[in-house]
């Protein structure tokens, strides 16, 4: 084996002789998180029984006792599933985009703008998405207090449709024109989409309180988070599945353009063995582009187009279901005689 002792350039290395820093990074994060949580748990105390907030009338009930839907009835309400569908599709898009952010940036734009889209730029893109997530939770909550939760959710759904449906066109502009402005538009719209993702989670408890009453909002929100778990499973896996399907389609298209003798010279096997070589990751889009006829467009930047269009289509369903939400039928509200028979 060739062991490089001067740099970390190309070559062969002894297993276990290097250090990526990943283990120490994760350990540091874990220790910091544990200390923060322990300190918070120790610091949190109940207020003294005699403590009163100035200007607050404590003679009235602290919890609204009318127009509350008991948590046992949540699965019977169409509003629960309509709101949950909106949550699933928006969260799937956000989680999927976050999950593939770094490879997406490198694969889609790295070859077109290599001097701008570096590994550091891709990492900064992830940081931008994180900022969008945090700022969205704060900004959209404030906006919803002014314009109402239903209208804010309409902005979420219809706005997300426009964003995800437009991203493939923006990618095409970057690839064809080497447009830095279009790259900036892609980053800006992606951050805006993630701000919507964060805003959904920020608004959900308040929206649930508006629809189902505030009394059982904690338990009702817990049931709503079942849709969040669904999104966590669907979002990233859908992005990756559709990207893989697009890659296979791109390889098949390139194989139809590549000369058989060039293929055999490049990979040491006849083209009839292409399927096996694809499964083994020996044949890739990048390697086929090396022997493709002159003028063949590299399909790599467009491998995520199907993912974006599919998310836009899914959010369209969420927009429709959200538009169908109406006030809860009063028959589902907790009756006065039930108040003492069911715990809060």
């Amino acid at each position: 084996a060739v062991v490089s002792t001067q740099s970390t350039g190309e070559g062969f290395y002894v297993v276990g002789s290097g250090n990526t820093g990943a283990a120490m990074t994760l350990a540091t994060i874990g220790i910091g998180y544990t200390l923060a949580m322990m300190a918070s748990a120790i610091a949190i105390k109940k207020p003294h029984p005699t403590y009163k907030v100035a200007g607050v009338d404590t003679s009235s009930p602290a919890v609204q006792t009318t127009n509350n839907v008991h948590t046992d009835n949540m699965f019977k309400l169409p509003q629960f599933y309509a709101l949950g569908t909106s949550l699933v599709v928006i969260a799937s898009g956000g989680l999927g985009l976050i999950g593939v952010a770094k490879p997406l940036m490198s694969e889609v734009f790295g070859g077109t703008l290599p001097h701008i889209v570096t590994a550091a730029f891709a990492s900064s893109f992830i940081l931008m998405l994180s900022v969008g997530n945090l700022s969205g939770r704060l900004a959209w909550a404030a906006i919803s207090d002014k314009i109402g939760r239903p209208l804010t959710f309409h902005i979420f759904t219809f706005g997300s449709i426009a964003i995800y449906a437009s991203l493939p066109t923006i990618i095409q502009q970057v690839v064809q024109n080497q447009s830095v402005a279009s790259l900036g538009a892609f980053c800006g719209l992606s951050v805006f989409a993630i701000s919507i993702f964060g805003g959904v989670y920020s608004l959900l408890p308040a929206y649930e309180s508006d629809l189902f009453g505030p009394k059982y909002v904690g338990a009702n929100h817990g049931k709503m988070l079942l849709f969040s778990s669904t999104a966590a499973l669907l979002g990233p896996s859908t992005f990756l599945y559709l990207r893989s399907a697009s890659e296979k389609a791109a390889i098949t298209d390139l194989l139809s353009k590549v000369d058989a003798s060039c293929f055999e010279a490049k990979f040491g096997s006849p083209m009839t063995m292409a399927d096996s070589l694809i499964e083994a990751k020996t044949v890739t889009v990048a390697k086929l582009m090396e022997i493709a006829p002159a003028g063949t467009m590299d399909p790599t930047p467009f491998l995520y187009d199907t993912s974006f269009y599919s998310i836009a289509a899914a959010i369209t369903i969420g927009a429709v279901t959200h538009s169908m939400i109406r006030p809860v039928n009063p028959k589902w509200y907790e009756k006065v005689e039930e108040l003492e028979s069911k715990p809060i």
Side-chain angles (χ1 to χ4, degrees), residues 2 5 22 41 43 48 56-57 67 89 95 114 120 175 189 196 261 288 299 302:
V2 178
T5 58
H48 193 274
V56 175
D57 181 12
N67 297 346
V89 293
L95 290 168
V175 173
L189 288 175
I196 290 175
S261 59
L288 286 175
F302 311 107

Side-chain angles (χ1 to χ4, degrees), residues 113 115 176 181 190 201 208 295 340:
L113 299 171
H115 300 298
Q176 291 181 348
S190 297
Y201 283 97
E208 292 159 9
E340 295 183 357

